[in-house]
Amino acid sequence: MKQRLILVLGAFLTVQSLMAQEDLAPVKGNGSVELPLKVTLRGKITDAKTGEPLPGAYVYFTDDKIGTSADAAGQYMLTNIPPGHHVVEISFTGYSTLVEHIGIHTDMQKDFALSPVIVENQGVIITGVSGATSIRKTPVPITAVKRATLIQTPSANIIDALSHVPGVSQLSTGPAISKPIIRGLGYNRVVTVNDGIRQEGQQWGDEHGIEIDEMSVNKVEILKGPASLMYGSDALAGVVNFITSVPAPEGTVRGNLLTNYQSNSRLTGNNMNFAGNKNGFNWNVYGSLKSAGDYKNKLDGRVLNSRFNERNAGGYLGLNKGWGYSHLIFSHFDQRVGLVEGDRDDATGKFLVFAGTPHERIAGDADLSSRKLFIPNQRVVHYKLVSENNLAIGNTRLKFNLGFQDNQRYEFGNAENPAEKSLFFDLKTYNYTLQWQLPELKEWHTTIGLNGMQQSNRNKGVEVLIPEYGLFDIGGFVYFQRFYKKATLSGGLRFDNRSVDSKAFVEGNTEKFKAFTRNFSNLSGSLGLSYEPSERVTVKANIARGFRAPTLAELASNGTHEGTNRYEYGTRDLKSETSLQLDGGIDLDYEHFSLAFSAFYNRISDFVFYRKLESVLGGDSLVNTGGDYIPAFVFNQHNATLAGLEFTFDIHPHPIHWLHFENIFSFVRGRFDRLLDGVKPGSDNLPLIPAPKWSTEIRADIKKLGKTFRNFYARFGGDKTFRQDHFFSGYDTETATNGYFLLNAGLGSDIVNHKNRTLFSLHLGMMNIGNTAWQNHLSRLKYTTENLVTGRRGVFNTGRNFSVKLNIPIEFKLK
């Protein structure tokens, strides 16, 4: 491991040492030295209506990771820009983001004018493409969520915040653990990317979150649809890309202090983030602390052992010059989470501590108010080191990333020996990416590349659920974009191969796992068109083929653990899932209203799912695990189809453009080709399909309110989640889920001084104002044991919750 870490660090240092000194330039054939070619862009940023300068407006080149802020006169200047085609993003709070594709070959001046925001649906994205691209020019549906929106949105965690995006849901295990579900698909069908590499943990499991410090995230990009072309296996449903490391403007130190308190679980969260940039040398460092007690609702009271805490840190060191940039990114994530079992006393209906052990007792007030984790609980530690490099070589660009990740997951389930590691997965992953952007040829932008990973998973706990294994993954692709005056054509082809080497394991005198090897290969691709008949209308269409190789859990599981209450059996002869998805949509952005509509049809061959095993005597098949009998599940596969739509409609009437009335509707339906449990109705429905959801909100956005308040907002709305009757009834795996309606509200503003400089931002939010008792169809706590006193099954979700966030920005110039 140390040798490979040295390789990652060495790649970074090699680039730094060779490129940092600008006198080490290429040598011409006649022996003279050709200085590195770099250009400067300067200009002024103003209000499109008033012509007034916009001090603080930000100009950012995403591909080059360089940016600057406008001064008091609205003037900006950027140096060290590699010549060629660039996508520049100009943004300012309260104004619509401006995106332009421009060619820069010599020093030039360019002014920009921004319009006050009505609906923010523009921006630059890097997800699912080989280079920075405007959202309007991508044929696949992509949503960008900025840090300001994340701060304004009160939520239990960052996936909870993203579940407000049309087509995005969450599979939750209490407030600390949420997994993204995109258009009805999740787990290993969604790739999570963080700062340039795919995040690799035990994402096949229910109780494993995304393992990213959410308080340090600057931006999130969500791609909905197959993205195997750029990411290979697992991106069958889409990609969630978390961007943390964003360089500060040249000659600046910029940072913030963020704190959050939530009343329901008494959550406290604190984050410190600082970044600096001097002569192209830039750095960032952050740290976060979070702690929460048990959450509560009106039916369950406090939910025992739903508490958690986090201690995270990270940052990067980098150099940005005319030749490109080289960054070394590092992070450490450490989360401890209680696992909710939901066992209750038969006579009183109260939660039990250490249920099923000699230490069993009814939870008292002191137990429920404590923040100390009870058994069972888990700890997840994730280390990451990435060398990210982007070099401008003539009129081409070479990108290469090397990454190392070590994901350690501990599960503690022995009440008699709390320190005993019932499960301990140690997963080491080495990621690599190489992309070469070829010279532009008559508006054709072509990139060839390869990426993949090598993994090694070891079991170091008392129990073993999956075998130890090695994995090697490699894929090569070609991606193109063709820019026309009013249209952009995008697409490409890719070939992947994944090799899995599963190790044998003997438990006592019994061979629990047999050794085996599997190889999975696949051809994937996509082709799409984005058409802009006018500045206010965008029409998109895309067809894509994706694939996903089975996980080791699906192939070879043989065991149980506290987090799932399932005994799982793998199926070794599973095939790869393949999908063919059609997407279409239209965006309208007019002065008094905005509308976005998208629909999709997704055909999946060999869809993998788990189902309950039936006993030969009838009923569930139960496995004796040392005195406890738990239901057995096995992995199967069958062909399936998903189809759905997302709809957003925002009215901002004249002349009160600051007032918005927004409505969002999401719907997805998933079905197998036939009934899977005899003739039982509902056994042809896919499992874990979110219920239809409609959200409505009235919101006021006021740029300037008196002398003190800037970017003021107030919102009030509700989320109506409909009853889910299309559940997977086969083998009694799922049950119907009732609908519910939650009221929410928020209020916030930037507080400025007499020089119009932001002193701090304050954000207040109230979730579930009516304290409604509700269960989400994708909440795993819905299936915990029945309360014999009330007759209700499972644990309900969070009750009324008040949130307050305080953000203090810090910025000063370097001499």
Side-chain angles (χ1 to χ4, degrees), residues 375-503:
I375 297 294
N377 65 77
Q378 72 175 12
R379 181 185 182 191
V380 178
V381 181
H382 193 99
Y383 303 93
K384 183 165 58 181
L385 183 66
V386 180
S387 175
E388 182 185 30
N389 307 279
N390 190 325
L391 309 179
I393 304 174
N395 55 356
T396 70
R397 188 181 291 268
L398 180 67
K399 301 180 181 180
F400 64 94
N401 297 343
L402 298 172
F404 168 76
Q405 303 176 69
D406 188 2
N407 184 274
Q408 300 174 2
R409 181 180 177 273
Y410 311 82
E411 191 169 287
F412 304 93
N414 187 347
E416 310 229 355
N417 183 8
E420 178 184 273
K421 301 177 181 68
S422 300
L423 288 175
F424 179 7
F425 300 109
D426 188 0
L427 176 66
K428 291 179 172 61
T429 304
Y430 303 92
N431 303 83
Y432 61 91
T433 298
L434 180 66
Q435 292 185 17
W436 184 25
Q437 294 181 4
L438 302 177
E440 176 186 339
L441 180 63
K442 296 181 179 180
E443 295 297 327
W444 285 91
H445 297 257
T446 305
T447 299
I448 59 175
L450 61 87
N451 52 31
M453 61 183 176
Q454 186 269 329
Q455 286 187 332
S456 174
N457 191 70
R458 296 293 177 261
N459 294 313
K460 300 180 179 180
V462 175
E463 303 171 13
V464 177
L465 172 61
I466 62 173
E468 295 186 343
Y469 68 89
L471 180 150
F472 183 75
D473 187 85
I474 187 169
F477 66 88
V478 57
Y479 175 85
F480 68 84
Q481 285 181 307
R482 173 61 165 91
F483 293 102
Y484 298 91
K485 185 176 181 180
K486 293 186 176 182
T488 304
L489 182 69
S490 305
L493 290 172
R494 178 188 180 104
F495 180 78
D496 281 276
N497 183 77
R498 173 171 290 185
S499 301
V500 177
D501 180 14
S502 182
K503 311 298 183 182

Side-chain angles (χ1 to χ4, degrees), residues 716-780:
F716 179 78
D719 297 325
K720 170 61 179 176
T721 301
F722 295 87
R723 178 179 171 87
Q724 180 56 290
D725 284 319
H726 300 298
F727 57 94
F728 181 49
S729 64
Y731 319 102
D732 297 323
T733 302
E734 290 184 347
T735 59
T737 306
N738 290 327
Y740 51 88
F741 184 70
L742 304 179
L743 287 173
N744 309 295
L747 180 74
S749 179
D750 297 335
I751 311 299
V752 301
N753 60 15
H754 66 282
K755 295 182 179 180
N756 207 32
R757 181 173 180 176
T758 300
L759 300 175
F760 63 89
S761 301
L762 184 65
H763 307 274
L764 308 177
M766 181 73 77
M767 298 166 284
N768 192 5
I769 296 173
N771 201 28
T772 300
W774 58 288
Q775 285 182 318
N776 188 282
H777 187 66
L778 300 185
S779 170
R780 292 183 55 248

Side-chain angles (χ1 to χ4, degrees), residues 235-284:
L236 200 72
V239 179
V240 183
N241 186 1
F242 296 91
I243 301 169
T244 300
S245 302
V246 177
E250 170 63 38
T252 302
V253 171
R254 172 180 288 182
N256 69 278
L257 303 175
L258 173 64
T259 185
N260 178 215
Y261 173 77
Q262 296 186 20
S263 63
N264 188 284
S265 63
R266 299 162 294 142
L267 178 144
T268 59
N270 297 283
N271 172 262
M272 176 192 71
N273 195 323
F274 283 94
N277 192 337
K278 180 66 172 177
N279 296 327
F281 175 74
N282 51 91
W283 54 270
N284 168 249

Side-chain angles (χ1 to χ4, degrees), residues 305-349:
N305 213 27
S306 58
R307 58 202 68 175
F308 67 95
N309 62 74
E310 286 182 20
R311 294 173 176 85
N312 310 320
Y316 80 93
L317 297 171
L319 190 66
N320 290 59
K321 292 291 185 178
W323 45 261
Y325 67 83
S326 180
H327 293 170
L328 183 67
I329 304 168
F330 50 91
S331 65
H332 173 259
F333 176 90
D334 189 347
Q335 182 189 62
R336 301 168 189 256
V337 184
L339 298 176
V340 177
E341 293 188 302
D343 293 314
R344 306 174 193 257
D345 179 62
D346 292 346
T348 64

Side-chain angles (χ1 to χ4, degrees), residues 293-315:
D294 293 335
Y295 79 89
K296 62 181 179 180
N297 60 64
K298 69 179 184 181
L299 296 183
D300 298 309
R302 294 220 172 265
V303 177
L304 181 69
N305 213 27
S306 58
R307 58 202 68 175
F308 67 95
N309 62 74
E310 286 182 20
R311 294 173 176 85
N312 310 320

Side-chain angles (χ1 to χ4, degrees), residues 605-619:
S605 300
D606 301 309
F607 181 88
V608 178
F609 64 101
Y610 62 77
R611 65 170 179 84
K612 281 184 178 180
L613 277 175
E614 289 182 301
S615 169
V616 293
L617 302 177

